[in-house]
Amino acid sequence: MSQPVDDDRKPVDLAALGATLLAATEEDHAGGRAAKTVLHEPGLRATVIALRAGHELAEHDAPPAATLYVHTGQVQLRSDGREQALTVGQLIAIPHERHSLFADTDAVVVLTVRYE
């Protein structure tokens, strides 16, 4: 017999949220990106990020452990002079070095981070 789902543990509709976030990126102040944290537990956080084609998340430090899942579109994960092309359905560990994320097309990604 299945257990009832807690009210604060509802599944996330990535398609609907991604569409909403991509629409928000069209606003002048958005800078071609929008994000929403959808899970925040002790030691774990998941954030859905929408990026318009040609925009990026500038270079930043890596968290202790993280993954990036491409829900829609195509992106480039850039670090230390390397580029990794990622497309729909692909999942990758974030490198343990400064990195950036560039959108080749309109894209929605899910960033999952383990922190202490």
Short mmCIF file of all heavy atoms in Angstrom, two decimals, residues 49-84:
data_model
loop_
_atom_site.label_atom_id
_atom_site.label_comp_id
_atom_site.label_asym_id
_atom_site.label_seq_id
_atom_site.Cartn_x
_atom_site.Cartn_y
_atom_site.Cartn_z
N ILE A 49 16.51 26.00 -14.23
CA ILE A 49 17.06 27.22 -14.83
C ILE A 49 16.66 27.26 -16.31
O ILE A 49 16.85 26.27 -17.03
CB ILE A 49 18.60 27.24 -14.73
CG1 ILE A 49 19.03 27.13 -13.27
CG2 ILE A 49 19.16 28.51 -15.36
CD1 ILE A 49 20.52 26.84 -13.10
N ALA A 50 16.13 28.40 -16.73
CA ALA A 50 15.81 28.62 -18.14
C ALA A 50 16.79 29.65 -18.69
O ALA A 50 17.06 30.66 -18.05
CB ALA A 50 14.38 29.12 -18.29
N LEU A 51 17.33 29.35 -19.87
CA LEU A 51 18.25 30.27 -20.55
C LEU A 51 17.78 30.46 -21.99
O LEU A 51 17.50 29.47 -22.68
CB LEU A 51 19.66 29.69 -20.59
CG LEU A 51 20.48 29.68 -19.32
CD1 LEU A 51 21.76 28.88 -19.53
CD2 LEU A 51 20.81 31.09 -18.90
N ARG A 52 17.73 31.70 -22.43
CA ARG A 52 17.44 32.00 -23.83
C ARG A 52 18.69 31.74 -24.67
O ARG A 52 19.82 31.90 -24.19
CB ARG A 52 17.02 33.45 -24.00
CG ARG A 52 15.63 33.73 -23.62
CD ARG A 52 14.68 33.31 -24.72
NE ARG A 52 13.33 33.33 -24.18
CZ ARG A 52 12.33 32.67 -24.69
NH1 ARG A 52 12.50 31.92 -25.75
NH2 ARG A 52 11.14 32.74 -24.15
N ALA A 53 18.48 31.36 -25.92
CA ALA A 53 19.60 31.13 -26.84
C ALA A 53 20.53 32.34 -26.85
O ALA A 53 20.07 33.48 -26.87
CB ALA A 53 19.06 30.87 -28.25
N GLY A 54 21.83 32.06 -26.77
CA GLY A 54 22.83 33.11 -26.81
C GLY A 54 23.16 33.73 -25.47
O GLY A 54 24.04 34.57 -25.38
N HIS A 55 22.48 33.32 -24.41
CA HIS A 55 22.75 33.83 -23.06
C HIS A 55 23.53 32.80 -22.26
O HIS A 55 23.57 31.62 -22.61
CB HIS A 55 21.45 34.20 -22.35
CG HIS A 55 20.82 35.43 -22.91
ND1 HIS A 55 19.97 35.40 -24.00
CD2 HIS A 55 20.93 36.73 -22.56
CE1 HIS A 55 19.59 36.62 -24.28
NE2 HIS A 55 20.15 37.45 -23.42
N GLU A 56 24.12 33.25 -21.16
CA GLU A 56 24.90 32.32 -20.35
C GLU A 56 24.82 32.65 -18.87
O GLU A 56 24.45 33.76 -18.48
CB GLU A 56 26.36 32.30 -20.79
CG GLU A 56 27.17 33.49 -20.37
CD GLU A 56 28.65 33.36 -20.74
OE1 GLU A 56 29.19 32.24 -20.68
OE2 GLU A 56 29.24 34.38 -21.08
N LEU A 57 25.17 31.66 -18.09
CA LEU A 57 25.46 31.86 -16.68
C LEU A 57 26.97 32.05 -16.64
O LEU A 57 27.72 31.13 -17.00
CB LEU A 57 25.05 30.65 -15.84
CG LEU A 57 23.57 30.32 -15.79
CD1 LEU A 57 23.33 29.05 -14.99
CD2 LEU A 57 22.78 31.47 -15.21
N ALA A 58 27.41 33.22 -16.26
CA ALA A 58 28.83 33.56 -16.29
C ALA A 58 29.64 32.60 -15.41
O ALA A 58 29.10 31.93 -14.53
CB ALA A 58 29.03 34.99 -15.83
N GLU A 59 30.93 32.59 -15.64
CA GLU A 59 31.82 31.71 -14.90
C GLU A 59 31.66 31.90 -13.40
O GLU A 59 31.57 33.02 -12.91
CB GLU A 59 33.27 31.99 -15.32
CG GLU A 59 34.24 30.99 -14.75
CD GLU A 59 35.64 31.21 -15.25
OE1 GLU A 59 36.30 32.13 -14.73
OE2 GLU A 59 36.06 30.46 -16.15
N HIS A 60 31.60 30.77 -12.71
CA HIS A 60 31.42 30.78 -11.25
C HIS A 60 32.06 29.54 -10.65
O HIS A 60 32.39 28.59 -11.37
CB HIS A 60 29.93 30.87 -10.89
CG HIS A 60 29.10 29.80 -11.53
ND1 HIS A 60 28.64 29.88 -12.84
CD2 HIS A 60 28.66 28.61 -11.07
CE1 HIS A 60 27.95 28.80 -13.14
NE2 HIS A 60 27.94 28.01 -12.08
N ASP A 61 32.26 29.56 -9.33
CA ASP A 61 32.87 28.42 -8.64
C ASP A 61 31.93 27.23 -8.61
O ASP A 61 30.70 27.39 -8.60
CB ASP A 61 33.26 28.81 -7.21
CG ASP A 61 34.41 29.80 -7.17
OD1 ASP A 61 35.28 29.74 -8.06
OD2 ASP A 61 34.42 30.64 -6.26
N ALA A 62 32.51 26.06 -8.54
CA ALA A 62 31.73 24.83 -8.47
C ALA A 62 31.36 24.51 -7.03
O ALA A 62 32.16 24.73 -6.11
CB ALA A 62 32.53 23.67 -9.05
N PRO A 63 30.16 23.98 -6.81
CA PRO A 63 29.81 23.50 -5.47
C PRO A 63 30.55 22.19 -5.19
O PRO A 63 31.16 21.61 -6.10
CB PRO A 63 28.30 23.27 -5.57
CG PRO A 63 28.04 23.05 -7.02
CD PRO A 63 29.09 23.83 -7.77
N PRO A 64 30.48 21.70 -3.96
CA PRO A 64 31.19 20.44 -3.64
C PRO A 64 30.79 19.27 -4.54
O PRO A 64 31.65 18.50 -4.96
CB PRO A 64 30.79 20.16 -2.19
CG PRO A 64 30.39 21.49 -1.63
CD PRO A 64 29.82 22.26 -2.78
N ALA A 65 29.52 19.16 -4.86
CA ALA A 65 29.04 18.10 -5.76
C ALA A 65 27.75 18.56 -6.41
O ALA A 65 26.86 19.07 -5.73
CB ALA A 65 28.81 16.80 -4.99
N ALA A 66 27.66 18.40 -7.73
CA ALA A 66 26.47 18.86 -8.44
C ALA A 66 26.33 18.11 -9.76
O ALA A 66 27.31 17.63 -10.33
CB ALA A 66 26.57 20.36 -8.70
N THR A 67 25.09 18.06 -10.24
CA THR A 67 24.82 17.51 -11.56
C THR A 67 23.97 18.50 -12.34
O THR A 67 23.27 19.34 -11.77
CB THR A 67 24.06 16.16 -11.50
OG1 THR A 67 22.78 16.37 -10.88
CG2 THR A 67 24.85 15.11 -10.75
N LEU A 68 24.04 18.39 -13.66
CA LEU A 68 23.24 19.21 -14.55
C LEU A 68 22.50 18.28 -15.49
O LEU A 68 23.12 17.44 -16.15
CB LEU A 68 24.14 20.16 -15.35
CG LEU A 68 23.40 21.14 -16.24
CD1 LEU A 68 22.75 22.23 -15.40
CD2 LEU A 68 24.36 21.76 -17.24
N TYR A 69 21.18 18.43 -15.55
CA TYR A 69 20.33 17.64 -16.44
C TYR A 69 19.68 18.58 -17.44
O TYR A 69 19.10 19.59 -17.05
CB TYR A 69 19.26 16.89 -15.63
CG TYR A 69 18.22 16.24 -16.50
CD1 TYR A 69 18.52 15.06 -17.19
CD2 TYR A 69 16.96 16.78 -16.65
CE1 TYR A 69 17.58 14.45 -18.00
CE2 TYR A 69 16.01 16.18 -17.45
CZ TYR A 69 16.32 15.02 -18.14
OH TYR A 69 15.39 14.42 -18.95
N VAL A 70 19.77 18.26 -18.72
CA VAL A 70 19.17 19.09 -19.76
C VAL A 70 17.76 18.57 -20.05
O VAL A 70 17.60 17.47 -20.57
CB VAL A 70 20.02 19.11 -21.04
CG1 VAL A 70 19.38 20.00 -22.10
CG2 VAL A 70 21.43 19.56 -20.74
N HIS A 71 16.78 19.38 -19.69
CA HIS A 71 15.38 19.01 -19.92
C HIS A 71 14.94 19.37 -21.34
O HIS A 71 14.29 18.58 -22.00
CB HIS A 71 14.48 19.69 -18.89
CG HIS A 71 13.03 19.42 -19.08
ND1 HIS A 71 12.49 18.16 -18.92
CD2 HIS A 71 12.01 20.23 -19.45
CE1 HIS A 71 11.20 18.21 -19.18
NE2 HIS A 71 10.89 19.45 -19.51
N THR A 72 15.30 20.58 -21.80
CA THR A 72 15.01 20.99 -23.18
C THR A 72 16.18 21.81 -23.70
O THR A 72 16.90 22.44 -22.94
CB THR A 72 13.74 21.86 -23.29
OG1 THR A 72 13.91 23.06 -22.54
CG2 THR A 72 12.50 21.13 -22.79
N GLY A 73 16.37 21.78 -25.02
CA GLY A 73 17.37 22.61 -25.66
C GLY A 73 18.75 22.01 -25.69
O GLY A 73 18.95 20.81 -25.47
N GLN A 74 19.73 22.88 -25.98
CA GLN A 74 21.13 22.47 -26.05
C GLN A 74 21.97 23.55 -25.39
O GLN A 74 21.77 24.74 -25.61
CB GLN A 74 21.58 22.28 -27.49
CG GLN A 74 23.02 21.81 -27.60
CD GLN A 74 23.43 21.47 -29.01
OE1 GLN A 74 22.63 20.94 -29.77
NE2 GLN A 74 24.66 21.76 -29.35
N VAL A 75 22.92 23.11 -24.56
CA VAL A 75 23.80 24.02 -23.83
C VAL A 75 25.25 23.57 -23.97
O VAL A 75 25.53 22.44 -24.38
CB VAL A 75 23.42 24.08 -22.33
CG1 VAL A 75 22.03 24.65 -22.14
CG2 VAL A 75 23.55 22.72 -21.66
N GLN A 76 26.15 24.47 -23.61
CA GLN A 76 27.58 24.18 -23.56
C GLN A 76 28.04 24.40 -22.12
O GLN A 76 27.89 25.51 -21.59
CB GLN A 76 28.37 25.13 -24.46
CG GLN A 76 28.03 25.04 -25.92
CD GLN A 76 28.66 23.85 -26.60
OE1 GLN A 76 29.72 23.38 -26.20
NE2 GLN A 76 27.99 23.35 -27.62
N LEU A 77 28.57 23.36 -21.50
CA LEU A 77 29.18 23.49 -20.18
C LEU A 77 30.66 23.75 -20.43
O LEU A 77 31.36 22.93 -21.02
CB LEU A 77 28.98 22.21 -19.37
CG LEU A 77 29.54 22.21 -17.95
CD1 LEU A 77 28.92 23.32 -17.11
CD2 LEU A 77 29.31 20.86 -17.29
N ARG A 78 31.13 24.93 -20.01
CA ARG A 78 32.49 25.36 -20.30
C ARG A 78 33.31 25.44 -19.03
O ARG A 78 32.87 26.01 -18.03
CB ARG A 78 32.47 26.73 -20.98
CG ARG A 78 31.73 26.73 -22.29
CD ARG A 78 31.57 28.12 -22.84
NE ARG A 78 31.00 28.09 -24.19
CZ ARG A 78 30.58 29.16 -24.82
NH1 ARG A 78 30.68 30.35 -24.26
NH2 ARG A 78 30.07 29.05 -26.03
N SER A 79 34.52 24.86 -19.07
CA SER A 79 35.43 24.94 -17.93
C SER A 79 36.86 24.70 -18.40
O SER A 79 37.10 23.86 -19.26
CB SER A 79 35.06 23.90 -16.86
OG SER A 79 35.23 22.60 -17.35
N ASP A 80 37.77 25.49 -17.86
CA ASP A 80 39.20 25.31 -18.10
C ASP A 80 39.53 25.11 -19.58
O ASP A 80 40.27 24.21 -19.95
CB ASP A 80 39.72 24.14 -17.27
CG ASP A 80 41.24 24.14 -17.16
OD1 ASP A 80 41.85 25.23 -17.24
OD2 ASP A 80 41.82 23.05 -17.00
N GLY A 81 38.93 25.94 -20.45
CA GLY A 81 39.22 25.86 -21.87
C GLY A 81 38.54 24.72 -22.60
O GLY A 81 38.77 24.52 -23.79
N ARG A 82 37.70 23.97 -21.92
CA ARG A 82 36.98 22.85 -22.55
C ARG A 82 35.51 23.20 -22.67
O ARG A 82 34.97 23.95 -21.87
CB ARG A 82 37.12 21.59 -21.71
CG ARG A 82 38.54 21.07 -21.61
CD ARG A 82 38.58 19.77 -20.81
NE ARG A 82 37.96 19.91 -19.51
CZ ARG A 82 38.61 20.06 -18.37
NH1 ARG A 82 39.93 20.10 -18.37
NH2 ARG A 82 37.98 20.17 -17.23
N GLU A 83 34.85 22.62 -23.67
CA GLU A 83 33.41 22.78 -23.84
C GLU A 83 32.79 21.40 -24.00
O GLU A 83 33.30 20.57 -24.74
CB GLU A 83 33.09 23.61 -25.08
CG GLU A 83 33.48 25.05 -24.96
CD GLU A 83 33.04 25.88 -26.16
OE1 GLU A 83 32.33 25.34 -27.04
OE2 GLU A 83 33.41 27.05 -26.22
N GLN A 84 31.70 21.18 -23.28
CA GLN A 84 30.97 19.93 -23.38
C GLN A 84 29.56 20.26 -23.87
O GLN A 84 28.80 20.92 -23.16
CB GLN A 84 30.90 19.23 -22.02
CG GLN A 84 30.09 17.96 -22.01
CD GLN A 84 30.75 16.85 -22.79
OE1 GLN A 84 31.91 16.54 -22.55
NE2 GLN A 84 30.04 16.27 -23.73
#
